[in-house]
Amino acid sequence: MREKIWYSFPVQLLLLHLRKNLALILIWVVLLGIILEKFGVMLGIPFLFLDPEYLHQVSWVSFMMMGIGFAVLTMAFHMTTYIMDGSQFKFLAVLSKPFIHFCINNSIVPTIFYSIYCIKFIVFQLGNDLPSEWFVFHYFLGFTGEVYCPTH
């Protein structure tokens, strides 16, 4: 069972990143360090991610823009690694929609990052003295790109 997991496509992609694409992984690590408040705290950099502002207010729109920014970063990561490393996986040529299969299997690092970010920003916002806990859910919907429901 362990051998099947070890030789699975997502794990092999992760190991390839750790061997060959360390600079791409470093981008995710730096962002994770910022979000976990291990880097840039004296300058307030984590607040740019945990409490983003647009037009001088934290809102659904500011979190939607944060989600769009992270989505662009994620797609750039997938496209870069597909261009650089896709040719090493010959079986992709016989699949329909090989890029989609590659992206799904290449999502270990972004999924870990998104999970930690969502937990961190929810905990941060819950401690932010908002009028209601529903505002945090509202912001989360903005981050995930869900339909806008005005609350204020």
Side-chain angles (χ1 to χ4, degrees), residues 5 7 20 46 50 52-53 82 85 89 99 102 116 139 142 150:
I5 293 172
Y7 289 107
K20 185 179 173 196
L50 299 173
E53 289 186 15
Y82 185 73
D85 303 326
F89 302 100
F99 182 65
F102 186 87
I116 293 171
Y139 294 161

Side-chain angles (χ1 to χ4, degrees), residues 49-86:
F49 293 93
L50 299 173
D51 203 32
E53 289 186 15
Y54 178 68
L55 298 177
H56 304 293
Q57 67 179 9
V58 177
S59 66
W60 180 89
V61 175
S62 63
F63 277 99
M64 181 192 68
M65 293 174 79
M66 184 64 64
I68 290 170
F70 282 148
V72 169
L73 172 68
T74 302
M75 284 313 299
F77 174 73
H78 289 316
M79 288 189 292
T80 303
T81 55
Y82 185 73
I83 291 168
M84 290 172 40
D85 303 326

Side-chain angles (χ1 to χ4, degrees), residues 130-145:
L130 295 171
S132 166
E133 285 82 20
W134 286 104
F135 277 85
V136 179
F137 182 66
H138 181 71
Y139 294 161
F140 181 76
L141 290 178
F143 178 74
T144 59

Side-chain angles (χ1 to χ4, degrees), residues 18-125:
L18 294 175
R19 262 192 335 260
K20 185 179 173 196
N21 304 329
L22 214 48
L24 292 173
I25 298 297
L26 187 62
I27 293 169
W28 293 103
V29 170
V30 168
L31 284 173
L32 197 60
I34 291 170
I35 286 162
L36 293 174
E37 299 179 48
K38 303 291 183 198
F39 176 77
V41 177
M42 295 293 287
L43 300 172
I45 296 172
F47 297 112
L48 297 173
F49 293 93
L50 299 173
D51 203 32
E53 289 186 15
Y54 178 68
L55 298 177
H56 304 293
Q57 67 179 9
V58 177
S59 66
W60 180 89
V61 175
S62 63
F63 277 99
M64 181 192 68
M65 293 174 79
M66 184 64 64
I68 290 170
F70 282 148
V72 169
L73 172 68
T74 302
M75 284 313 299
F77 174 73
H78 289 316
M79 288 189 292
T80 303
T81 55
Y82 185 73
I83 291 168
M84 290 172 40
D85 303 326
S87 62
Q88 295 183 20
F89 302 100
K90 305 293 182 199
F91 68 90
L92 288 172
V94 299
L95 297 174
S96 65
K97 301 179 182 172
F99 182 65
I100 302 277
H101 287 277
F102 186 87
C103 289
I104 291 169
N105 287 289
N106 194 36
S107 294
I108 290 177
V109 174
T111 301
I112 291 170
F113 174 80
Y114 281 123
S115 300
I116 293 171
Y117 174 74
C118 288
I119 291 167
K120 186 70 178 168
F121 111 71
I122 288 170
V123 168
F124 183 85
Q125 289 297 326

